Amino acid sequence: MVLLIKNIRQLIQILEPEIQWVAGNNMSHLNLIENAWLSIRDGLIDDFGRMDSGIPDAEELIDASGKIVMPAFCDSHTHLVYAGSREQEFVDRIQGLSYEQIARRGGGINNSAKRLRVTSEDELFEEAMNRIHEIISQGTGAVEIKSGYGLDTESELKMLRVIRRLKENTPLTVRSTFLGAHAVPAEFSGNQEGYVDMLISDMLPKVVAEGLADFIDVFCDEGFFTVENTARILEAGALSGLRPKIHANEMANSGGIQTGIKFNAISVDHLEFTGKDEIDALLGSSTMPTLLPGAALFLGLNQPPAREMISAGLPIALASDFNPGSSPSGNMMLMMALGCISLKMLPEEVIHAATINSAFAMGIEKEAGSITKGKKANLIITKKVPGYTFLPYAYGSNLIDTMILNGCIIENK
Ligand code: NIG
Ligand code: FE
């Protein structure tokens, strides 16, 4: 069966199949066809071209007059399996407490862990499924989801099993990450070493035995996990075949970026504290620097130096960090807007950052993240808009008209 989308105002983000990411000056150029068509067969992008060069026959037709067609977003960093919410901490921060102060008094990640431990797997699945429906309606076609609110073996396994069920029960492409080292749990308070010993000897082998994780993550930062303990965890992960994707340099110049690169991380994420040494280290690596402008805005953090990074020739990925503490939104169109507003990235740059570069950051660049023949037909058809610059400009508007995942039109839930 062929599904044809015709009269597309702009078909954007067309890339050759060998492109894995887009970096430096190339980020400010976007390949597109005006007045285009695109055909889908067996769930994949079959072909595309200009309307005036003739269109193929099709069984099903969508008229996209005045609309943009683009690859669905790849959100390469989320924590969207969690129990309840943390709006009291939001109010506490408005009244002057910092994220670190809240964490030190047992709030923050440990607050979510307390709730998650007493929530059943089924309830967690239901809550997460609602968030999945929400992000699909906002344009996401692929998502990475982390554990890290369990912080004991059983609860971490429970979270990862929920992520596996999401993988099996949604049309999204899902990748899962074991983040046992998100925070030191209350019962190991003052004993980070002891918690890491337990994580390596007990949690990790069980996660690996059940095949529950694609990646391993550590919150390597001041007030969280030290560079030494991060290295121990990543070494153990590597022995089990898990490539790192780590949280680094959000709170301070922690050495996390260099540690991630040393262990061949697929991405290092946050990077609010990034200087010349970090940029140089990233330039010699195949690690994707990933910025999370929702979290930086929500917590009132430093903004990472996106312009310097791009000028130096680096690629940048953008992700939502969807989580109850530092970014309770998985809206990637909004993240693109924040990329422009907070990070001074151009519309073309944020489109690369939220599609092909974030696809690379979760290891799916061969199947998603661009308009390329043979890739999954995971597509956004926007509402009528004047052109692609309007997408990050009209921040906060819902500009998604239709979502197509694996070649099928998704009904809004
Ligand atoms: O990516 N930085 C660490 N972890 C999350 C926050 C998690 C939370 O506060 O619940 C983040 O921002
Ligand atoms: Fe995070």
Side-chain angles (χ1 to χ4, degrees):
M1 222 231 6
V2 175
L3 167 61
L4 180 75
I5 312 173
K6 65 171 191 174
N7 296 327
I8 304 166
R9 167 167 266 163
Q10 291 177 328
L11 177 64
I12 68 169
Q13 184 59 326
I14 300 167
L15 293 177
E16 294 298 324
E18 64 277 8
I19 303 289
Q20 293 188 294
W21 70 41
V22 179
N25 288 336
N26 290 335
M27 286 188 79
S28 57
H29 176 76
L30 196 62
N31 249 334
L32 61 85
I33 301 177
E34 310 255 3
N35 198 18
W37 58 268
L38 178 141
S39 62
I40 296 168
R41 188 195 294 268
D42 298 332
L44 304 178
I45 298 174
D46 191 47
D47 206 354
F48 49 85
R50 297 177 51 86
M51 286 300 291
D52 57 16
S53 64
I55 57 172
D57 291 333
E59 284 80 24
E60 209 182 332
L61 205 61
I62 298 178
D63 189 331
S65 296
K67 301 174 180 180
I68 287 176
V69 172
M70 65 178 287
F73 297 121
C74 299
D75 190 351
S76 63
H77 181 142
T78 82
H79 310 247
L80 69 71
V81 174
Y82 57 85
S85 52
R86 306 217 306 262
E87 59 273 23
Q88 184 52 48
E89 294 176 10
F90 174 61
V91 176
D92 291 343
R93 274 202 321 281
I94 294 169
Q95 292 176 321
L97 284 183
S98 72
Y99 183 77
E100 287 141 303
Q101 283 168 327
I102 291 169
R104 270 201 299 277
R105 64 174 199 186
I109 295 164
N110 267 299
N111 185 356
S112 286
K114 225 180 296 162
R115 293 168 197 229
L116 185 131
R117 289 174 177 185
V118 297
T119 304
S120 73
E121 190 179 311
D122 285 345
E123 283 173 90
L124 277 177
F125 176 74
E126 294 289 307
E127 272 196 57
M129 206 54 169
N130 288 335
R131 296 180 195 119
I132 293 272
H133 291 312
E134 183 183 27
I135 63 172
I136 292 175
S137 74
Q138 293 169 334
T140 294
V143 67
E144 179 261 12
I145 312 173
K146 302 170 194 296
S147 70
Y149 292 125
L151 309 182
D152 64 33
T153 303
E154 257 330 292
S155 310
E156 283 294 304
L157 290 172
K158 177 168 73 178
M159 281 191 83
L160 288 164
R161 289 182 193 127
V162 170
I163 300 172
R164 182 171 59 195
R165 275 171 73 183
L166 296 171
K167 253 188 213 188
E168 293 164 356
N169 289 285
T170 84
L172 288 183
T173 305
V174 176
R175 290 290 177 271
S176 78
T177 300
F178 169 50
L179 174 56
H182 199 189
V184 175
E187 60 276 18
F188 279 90
S189 180
N191 182 16
Q192 184 174 123
E193 214 69 31
Y195 179 62
V196 172
D197 289 344
M198 189 280 281
L199 185 154
I200 292 173
S201 64
D202 190 56
M203 273 186 194
L204 179 62
K206 290 179 177 153
V207 169
V208 172
E210 270 192 62
L212 288 170
D214 300 303
F215 301 105
I216 187 162
D217 195 342
V218 177
F219 189 2
C220 176
D221 223 318
E222 198 172 277
F224 291 85
F225 289 84
T226 62
V227 163
E228 292 71 28
N229 281 328
T230 302
R232 287 173 62 208
I233 295 168
L234 298 189
E235 216 161 81
L239 288 175
S240 305
L242 293 181
R243 199 169 168 194
K245 257 182 91 56
I246 75 167
H247 287 72
N249 296 43
E250 177 184 5
M251 304 296 163
N253 224 313
S254 61
I257 293 178
Q258 285 86 342
T259 308
I261 291 168
K262 183 167 158 209
F263 287 93
N264 191 29
I266 193 164
S267 74
V268 286
D269 301 24
H270 277 292
L271 319 187
E272 282 79 5
F273 289 83
T274 296
K276 189 172 178 319
D277 288 350
E278 285 74 22
I279 290 177
D280 287 345
L282 283 162
L283 279 170
S285 77
S286 56
T287 297
M288 179 60 67
T290 300
L291 308 184
L292 310 169
L297 176 76
F298 196 73
L299 296 185
L301 303 176
N302 276 349
Q303 292 294 340
R307 285 263 51 96
E308 282 88 332
M309 295 165 79
I310 293 173
S311 299
L314 285 174
I316 284 177
L318 289 177
S320 73
D321 201 11
F322 195 175
N323 77 75
S326 67
S327 186
S329 167
N331 186 335
M332 286 295 284
M333 195 76 90
L334 180 62
M335 299 307 144
M336 289 209 307
L338 295 180
C340 293
I341 298 162
S342 305
L343 300 171
K344 304 280 178 247
M345 292 171 72
L346 295 167
E348 294 81 2
E349 292 172 335
V350 295
I351 291 169
H352 288 301
T355 56
I356 189 67
N357 287 357
S358 49
F360 181 89
M362 56 188 289
I364 59 165
E365 75 284 357
K366 288 194 174 65
E367 61 186 85
S370 66
I371 302 296
T372 303
K373 285 181 206 174
K375 281 196 177 181
K376 278 188 184 174
N378 283 359
L379 305 168
I380 295 169
I381 305 177
T382 68
K383 294 182 178 160
K384 290 190 180 190
V385 292
Y388 67 78
T389 304
F390 191 83
L391 303 177
Y393 155 80
Y395 85 117
S397 282
N398 178 6
L399 297 174
I400 310 292
D401 178 79
T402 304
M403 281 299 290
I404 297 180
L405 294 178
N406 309 306
C408 299
I409 297 170
I410 304 295
E411 300 303 331
N412 236 334
K413 290 233 172 119

